[in-house]
Amino acid sequence: MERIVNLIVDATEKAAGVFLAAIVALTFTSIMLRAFLNTTIPDWFDLSRLMLGVAIFWGIATTSYRDEHIQVDFLWEWAGPRGKWWIDLFATIVLFLFLAAFSWMLLFKVDSGFRSGEATFDVRIPIWPFHVLASLGIFLATLLVAIRLVRLLRGQPVPEPHRIEPVQ
């Protein structure tokens, strides 16, 4: 089971990274084309905006699982081990409920985008596939937070974030 979870987390991180790299490449190329050839890539802004949403939603999945999101934990620091567990449990339950509701509502967003035929301005690329990818990221976030919740309830350790050691 641990191996499967690690594969899901790694694939999720790589997918977010690929979309982020695509945004950078698209933006850089469009700016260079505009600066040197006085032209741009059609719909580059819409595409980069849609891909940014996908990258953010996929990034939410791994940050929620590893507890790497922005947090204020002064109360957690003062609590003892049992208090820390209760705070972690409460926060994870609230996050799970929020992500589950978010996943559910994104189903309706994908459906309405598909039915409306909404598309980008220049090339008329349908935007619903980007909504599908983004909603898949939130679905994975919900799944990974559910796994985190089960681990907390069982008293199993939740994986620590990857730490990059400085080169000396």
Side-chain angles (χ1 to χ4, degrees):
M1 179 66 172
E2 186 69 29
R3 187 165 186 259
I4 293 171
V5 172
N6 287 337
L7 286 173
I8 292 171
V9 171
D10 289 344
T12 304
E13 286 176 335
K14 287 176 183 162
V18 165
F19 273 97
L20 202 54
I23 295 164
V24 170
L26 185 62
T27 303
F28 177 80
T29 303
S30 184
I31 289 171
M32 289 296 115
L33 286 172
R34 184 175 41 194
F36 295 112
L37 301 176
N38 202 24
T39 188
T40 61
I41 299 170
D43 284 332
W44 79 270
F45 182 73
D46 286 336
L47 292 174
S48 64
R49 190 171 46 102
L50 290 165
M51 286 191 291
L52 182 60
V54 173
I56 288 170
F57 282 14
W58 282 67
I60 287 172
T62 57
T63 58
S64 297
Y65 176 69
R66 290 199 177 117
D67 203 24
E68 292 178 319
H69 47 80
I70 298 171
Q71 45 192 295
V72 179
D73 56 3
F74 65 91
L75 181 63
W76 189 87
E77 288 291 332
W78 292 339
R82 194 75 181 146
K84 288 178 181 180
W85 183 84
W86 279 106
I87 292 170
D88 286 344
L89 182 65
F90 175 75
T92 304
I93 289 170
V94 169
L95 180 60
F96 173 75
L97 293 173
F98 168 77
L99 289 172
F102 197 13
S103 294
W104 179 253
M105 293 310 297
L106 280 172
L107 289 175
F108 297 108
K109 178 65 177 169
V110 169
D111 182 56
S112 71
F114 178 75
R115 291 179 190 274
S116 72
E118 207 175 340
T120 60
F121 185 73
D122 295 332
V123 186
R124 305 298 300 158
I125 298 169
I127 65 166
W128 68 267
F130 293 96
H131 291 170
V132 168
L133 289 172
S135 63
L136 184 59
I138 294 299
F139 173 76
L140 284 170
T142 307
L143 176 68
L144 290 172
V145 169
I147 292 169
R148 178 180 173 75
L149 182 59
V150 168
R151 286 185 172 183
L152 277 171
L153 290 171
R154 289 183 178 172
Q156 297 172 330
V158 177
E160 290 292 319
H162 293 303
R163 301 284 185 222
I164 299 174
E165 298 298 323
V167 178
Q168 296 179 5

